[in-house]
Amino acid sequence: MKLQQLRYIVEVVKHDLNVSLTAESLYTSQPGISKQIKLLEDELGVQIFARSGKHLTHLTPIGQDIVHIAQEILSKVSAIKVAAVEHTQPNQGVFNIATTYTQARYMLPLVIQHFMQQYPHISLQMEQGSSRQVVDDVVSGKVDFAIVSELPKVNDDFIVLPCYHWNYAIILPKNHPLATLPILTIADLAQHPLVSYDFSSDGSDLSKAFSRANYEPNIVFNISDADLIKTYVKLGIGVGILAKMAVDEEQEQDLLVFNAGHLFSYNTTYIVFRRTLFLRNYMYEFIYQFSSHLTKELIDKALACNSNAEIQAMFNGIKLPVR
């Protein structure tokens, strides 16, 4: 059994069982990959892939287990190389993160500024997307960390660290009919057009709140960009519902801001990364700068847990900051 063979079967799966595309991505030949896969299957005495003629059609049940183990082995090999680099070049390298717009715009700028001043030889690269998209970037190995505003479901191959809680805020022009009310309710909001994040999912916190109160929200715009929500509210398009962290009352003096913590449950921002990732010292430091309760000792304690359920139980006794 060779590492090259394990790499081939993992890459073939990544390319939807298309051996030609796999060969192109690895700068090798299609017959060469097919031969190595067959040699591995012969050595193991099992079929990893089911076939129709010369084409691979799907992973066999044992093939699924083998590919999963192969992915772990290749991750460990990568971790060995990174560990060596950490020893020879401790503060050099490429650090890839993916995050949502709100985190990138409002929570990360000062963290990144300080980090880059502290580690000038680290190339920090950042992708933006939805919470689901940035977690997929971690799953695919495209990035090291995902920083997510809402946590999609992940398995125990990944470490999930809670960073802080955050609430929603309601914004509206000062001349809006709701401006005179001391506190807003779901019934009040249901009477006006709304501009906010995606309400389309029945499982979203915003949809749940309206459903519990037996009201149907009148959504005129679904926008992921908090700055655009504020722009449309200022134009009188509707009442805005957005993350409280995205509103600076001193800078938005033409808007009224209502805390919506009594209407919508708080959310939690998380950092997600592969369990097999070798955390370099600058990665520990980045996490600490982003959320100061996440010390190296606490992170290592989380890494020693067998599941994310254990990690979350560990954090139940820790009071997270609210932003």
Side-chain angles (χ1 to χ4, degrees):
M1 186 185 306
K2 302 175 183 177
L3 283 176
Q4 183 188 52
Q5 292 171 331
L6 300 183
R7 185 169 290 109
Y8 282 169
I9 63 173
V10 168
E11 288 297 321
V12 165
V13 171
K14 284 184 180 179
H15 288 83
D16 297 324
L17 308 189
N18 189 316
V19 180
S20 296
L21 287 179
T22 304
E24 289 179 16
S25 70
L26 296 177
Y27 301 101
T28 187
S29 68
Q30 179 179 342
I33 291 179
S34 298
K35 178 181 178 182
Q36 289 302 319
I37 292 175
K38 189 66 172 63
L39 287 173
L40 179 60
E41 290 178 323
D42 290 344
E43 179 182 350
L44 296 176
V46 297
Q47 268 199 318
I48 298 172
F49 298 100
R51 294 167 171 82
S52 177
K54 295 183 179 181
H55 299 289
L56 306 181
T57 58
H58 61 273
L59 279 170
T60 63
I62 184 60
Q64 293 177 8
D65 293 338
I66 290 171
V67 168
H68 181 73
I69 296 169
Q71 290 170 330
E72 292 183 345
I73 291 170
L74 293 174
S75 293
K76 291 293 186 182
V77 170
S78 178
I80 290 172
K81 295 177 180 179
V82 174
V85 172
E86 178 68 14
H87 179 73
T88 57
Q89 300 173 318
N91 293 324
Q92 298 183 38
V94 178
F95 182 25
N96 295 289
I97 64 174
T99 189
T100 60
Y101 173 84
T102 299
Q103 300 298 324
R105 171 66 176 84
Y106 297 102
M107 303 308 299
L108 281 169
L110 292 179
V111 174
I112 289 177
Q113 180 188 42
H114 185 267
F115 178 85
M116 295 181 72
Q117 290 172 346
Q118 187 174 1
Y119 296 98
H121 299 296
I122 299 295
S123 176
L124 180 60
Q125 301 178 8
M126 184 168 64
E127 302 280 341
Q128 288 185 43
S130 68
S131 290
R132 178 71 269 172
Q133 288 169 336
V134 302
V135 168
D136 285 345
D137 284 343
V138 170
V139 172
S140 68
K142 183 178 180 181
V143 301
D144 301 306
F145 288 178
I147 301 174
V148 295
S149 302
E150 299 175 17
L151 182 64
K153 186 175 181 180
V154 294
N155 62 39
D156 291 329
D157 292 335
F158 302 88
I159 298 294
V160 178
L161 300 177
C163 300
Y164 59 85
H165 299 314
W166 58 273
N167 289 319
Y168 288 102
I170 299 165
I171 59 172
L172 41 85
K174 291 185 176 181
N175 61 352
H176 194 277
L178 296 179
T180 59
L181 299 181
I183 188 168
L184 298 181
T185 67
I186 294 294
D188 296 324
L189 296 177
Q191 296 175 24
H192 297 273
L194 303 176
V195 181
S196 187
Y197 305 124
D198 188 8
F199 266 78
S200 61
S201 170
D202 291 336
S204 75
D205 294 324
L206 302 179
S207 293
K208 286 179 180 177
F210 278 86
S211 179
R212 283 194 299 267
N214 294 316
Y215 284 98
E216 186 73 24
N218 176 19
I219 308 300
V220 292
F221 272 107
N222 280 323
I223 308 172
S224 61
D225 186 327
D227 288 335
L228 282 178
I229 292 175
K230 287 183 280 189
T231 296
Y232 284 110
V233 170
K234 292 175 183 178
L235 292 173
I237 301 298
V239 174
I241 306 175
L242 72 173
K244 187 179 178 182
M245 71 182 86
V247 184
D248 185 332
E249 294 188 47
E250 292 186 2
Q251 293 184 0
E252 307 293 345
Q253 294 185 7
D254 49 348
L255 294 174
L256 286 179
V257 181
F258 290 78
N259 192 328
H262 65 294
L263 299 179
F264 309 111
S265 58
Y266 67 73
N267 288 268
T268 305
T269 290
Y270 299 91
I271 289 179
V272 182
F273 55 88
R274 279 188 168 275
R275 185 176 288 274
T276 53
L277 177 69
F278 180 87
L279 288 180
R280 299 186 64 179
N281 287 330
Y282 63 77
M283 294 180 176
Y284 281 106
E285 182 62 24
F286 179 89
I287 295 173
Y288 177 74
Q289 289 179 16
F290 184 69
S291 193
S292 60
H293 71 281
L294 291 173
T295 61
K296 186 177 187 300
E297 292 72 23
L298 189 60
I299 295 170
D300 286 342
K301 188 176 178 181
L303 288 170
C305 292
N306 294 317
S307 68
N308 279 307
E310 286 185 34
I311 294 175
Q312 299 313 307
M314 182 183 81
F315 277 93
N316 283 341
I318 299 174
K319 187 176 181 180
L320 298 183
V322 178
R323 298 177 181 173

